[in-house]
Amino acid sequence: MNILMGLFHILVFPGLLFVCIIGLLLAGVDRKVLARMQKRVGPPLIQPFYDFFKLMGKETIVPHAANKTAFLAAPVIGFASLVVTMLFIPVFGYSAFSGSGDLIVILYLLTIPAVALIVGGSASGSPYAGIGISREMVTMMSYEFPLIMVLLAVAKKAGGAKLLFSLTGIVAWQQSNGSGIIHVALIPAALALLLIIPAEVGTQPFDVAEAETEICEGPLIEYSGAPLAMFKLNTAMKMFVMTSLFTCLFFGGIDTGIVALNALILVVICIVLTILCMTLIHAVTARLKIEHLFKFYWTFVAGLALCSLILVWIGL
Amino acid sequence: MFKKMIADSMSKSPWIYHVNTGSCNGCDIELVAVLTPRYDAERFGFKLAGTPRHADIVVVSGPITSQSKERLLRTLEQVPEPRCIVTLGSCPQSGNVFKGSYSVEAPIEKFVHVDVAIAGCTPKPEAVIEGLYKAAMILKEKREAMKK
Ligand code: SF4
């Protein structure tokens, strides 16, 4: 029974199938809404599914200069780590795995997809990928620092005297004290996390690592066929994982008691967040330079997160 | 089931890679116009890919100058199967106004098989969309033939 339940968690909900489908759906919403914002008709909502299946049917080419094992393993590693991350994030009251240090585990797991991109890019042996991975590393360094501060602020607020690093604990705290977003001290942290999401996912103003018009999609340049499909899927899944992390940290107080209804509410909140922090920003801005991105995160976003941390520490 | 889904998706998400072989830039601008809000080729799933490895349809414009011929062939070799080659404008077909020049290798059919040829100098965006759409249908046929 327990094994069956575990398999169900990993393969269907909230694991593999759920993340893949909702992730691709979010990517579709993003493209469609973006098109409507630019007064276009836009692709159908399920366009990312078409893209995924098409890439699955293409020939996979491994370049001569590439290290075959690392080149083909990288997308799978990123994919697996995203599925595991989703298992740790509770859907309101319902979580597959829980422990006392979830938040720290998630922090590590979230870096793995980016590292997988770096490994894959460097294994492909292309100079464009070289530039791409150096940019990806800088992007990672820029958003990790404010992300840690945001998580610290929430952990401190929920735990009181000692830090609370368990996501289920944080959700339980929100259910008795109201969602994180209504606490004044956490509002700057929420804003900071909203700005971190597009960099983590790699959408328009922060997609310096995959700039397709200047360095031809950077680390992905040599990928084709199934591995490329996996990378595209990873990006879509990251959208869902990050927005549901946000929901868990700041909207955790909403709970209807019915798992299916909770999942539906989660999906709706994720769609709203995607439009707000990815599509809208994408539509109104142009790509930043890498040094501007670094500066933006270490001053403005880190400032917001620090602000929140101080407010929490003085007990507001 | 998966095979059918893959074959169906082939015609619904063609990614374009554009090779300029010495064109006068007229055709290139027209290809970009197809992606703008007015004509919006993205509603059929068309997307401009940055590298030949991601491409399904390779669009060739220009009269194939001697310098670019070798580069063109090398680029085409890097595109994964199934793929389609589309020529844009009259230049790659006949040489157009550049015909007879010592540095032009015009009819592209001499080196590669062309799936769809869009004629005109420059072709209208409507014609470009129609040509690309036909190419997308050919992609699906090629995929089905590949699996048999
Ligand atoms: S067909 Fe006409 S517009 Fe197109 S590249 Fe040739 S000369 Fe220029």
Side-chain angles (χ1 to χ4, degrees):
Chain A
M1 194 59 213
N2 255 337
I3 296 172
L4 271 183
M5 207 54 201
L7 270 182
F8 176 76
H9 278 156
I10 292 170
L11 292 179
V12 185
F13 177 86
L16 200 81
L17 211 60
F18 185 63
V19 193
C20 292
I21 292 177
I22 305 293
L24 288 174
L25 198 69
L26 282 185
V29 170
D30 178 43
R31 274 179 79 176
K32 184 80 185 175
V33 175
L34 180 70
R36 296 304 301 158
M37 281 175 182
Q38 297 172 340
K39 289 212 162 188
R40 287 189 284 129
V41 179
L45 208 55
I46 50 170
Q47 185 62 42
F49 290 90
Y50 292 143
D51 290 353
F52 177 75
F53 281 114
K54 177 207 75 180
L55 287 172
M56 276 295 178
K58 297 275 286 185
E59 184 189 358
T60 304
I61 300 174
V62 180
H64 207 62
N67 177 337
K68 197 170 174 194
T69 328
F71 186 75
L72 294 179
V76 182
I77 293 171
F79 176 76
S81 74
L82 278 166
V83 173
V84 176
T85 316
M86 196 57 208
L87 291 176
F88 277 103
I89 297 177
V91 181
F92 301 111
Y94 182 90
S95 77
F97 299 164
S98 63
S100 51
D102 299 352
L103 219 47
I104 297 167
V105 176
I106 282 185
L107 197 61
Y108 279 103
L109 282 173
L110 277 178
T111 58
I112 294 181
V115 173
L117 200 63
I118 292 172
V119 170
S122 53
S124 72
S126 159
Y128 287 104
I131 297 172
I133 59 174
S134 77
R135 290 182 179 188
E136 178 73 39
M137 274 185 232
V138 175
T139 317
M140 233 169 97
M141 265 160 36
S142 347
Y143 69 71
E144 286 286 293
F145 170 56
L147 180 63
I148 292 171
M149 288 209 289
V150 167
L151 296 184
L152 265 182
V154 177
K156 174 75 184 166
K157 181 80 190 166
K162 62 178 189 347
L163 299 173
L164 181 63
F165 280 121
S166 151
L167 275 172
T168 26
I170 289 173
V171 171
W173 171 80
Q174 291 183 50
Q175 271 160 11
S176 48
N177 292 312
S179 296
I181 196 83
I182 62 169
H183 296 272
V184 180
L186 289 184
I187 290 176
L191 278 178
L193 189 55
L194 267 187
L195 287 169
I196 292 167
I197 293 174
E200 169 86 45
V201 176
T203 53
Q204 181 64 295
F206 310 117
D207 66 341
V208 266
E210 283 154 48
E212 73 268 15
T213 39
E214 40 181 309
I215 50 167
C216 319
E217 312 224 358
L220 300 182
I221 184 168
E222 295 290 350
Y223 277 97
S224 65
L228 180 63
M230 292 298 266
F231 268 127
K232 294 281 169 192
L233 182 64
N234 283 358
T235 315
M237 279 162 61
K238 255 192 250 170
M239 280 184 177
F240 182 50
V241 168
M242 285 310 288
T243 45
S244 57
L245 179 65
F246 185 93
T247 317
C248 164
L249 291 180
F250 295 105
F251 292 111
I254 313 165
D255 192 5
T256 53
I258 309 161
V259 175
L261 199 60
N262 275 348
L264 198 69
I265 295 175
L266 176 73
V267 171
V268 172
I269 294 178
C270 286
I271 289 177
V272 174
L273 285 175
T274 309
I275 293 173
L276 196 70
C277 72
M278 280 175 252
T279 320
L280 199 65
I281 298 181
H282 183 173
V284 298
T285 54
R287 185 177 303 124
L288 290 171
K289 277 192 209 164
I290 187 72
E291 56 264 32
H292 293 165
L293 181 137
F294 189 73
K295 211 168 141 196
F296 176 74
Y297 276 96
W298 277 61
T299 55
F300 186 67
V301 182
L304 275 175
L306 192 66
C307 194
S308 192
L309 204 57
I310 293 170
L311 283 179
V312 169
W313 233 270
I314 60 174
L316 211 66
Chain B
M1 193 185 87
F2 274 120
K3 267 184 192 155
K4 194 173 171 303
M5 269 156 97
I6 287 174
D8 281 347
S9 304
M10 268 301 156
S11 63
K12 284 183 176 135
S13 104
W15 292 358
I16 304 167
Y17 181 73
H18 177 208
V19 191
N20 178 337
T21 59
S23 110
C24 77
N25 215 0
C27 285
D28 311 338
I29 288 174
E30 225 53 21
L31 182 69
V32 178
V34 161
L35 297 166
T36 55
R38 187 173 175 88
Y39 297 101
D40 188 26
E42 208 192 346
R43 66 203 145 116
F44 303 116
F46 289 108
K47 212 173 102 176
L48 220 45
T51 122
R53 295 244 196 254
H54 300 185
D56 306 295
I57 298 178
V58 185
V59 176
V60 183
S61 65
I64 332 271
T65 57
S66 315
Q67 290 279 332
S68 65
K69 180 187 144 198
E70 190 201 335
R71 277 86 184 167
L72 172 70
L73 294 181
R74 258 165 55 191
T75 310
L76 291 179
E77 273 164 17
Q78 295 184 27
V79 182
E81 293 285 348
R83 60 164 176 239
C84 258
I85 295 165
V86 175
T87 59
L88 186 62
S90 307
C91 275
Q93 283 302 309
S94 63
N96 206 4
V97 285
F98 307 108
K99 190 168 178 183
S101 163
Y102 62 91
S103 63
V104 158
E105 317 248 343
I108 188 177
E109 261 106 353
K110 278 198 288 191
F111 341 106
V112 283
H113 168 73
V114 175
D115 294 283
V116 179
I118 306 168
C121 176
T122 67
K124 291 180 82 170
E126 288 90 343
V128 178
I129 292 181
E130 196 196 349
L132 290 178
Y133 195 72
K134 275 186 187 149
M137 292 302 149
I138 294 174
L139 270 180
K140 184 178 173 183
E141 280 162 28
K142 282 195 176 172
R143 165 73 199 178
E144 275 160 358
M146 226 167 102
K147 282 291 129 184
K148 267 171 201 147

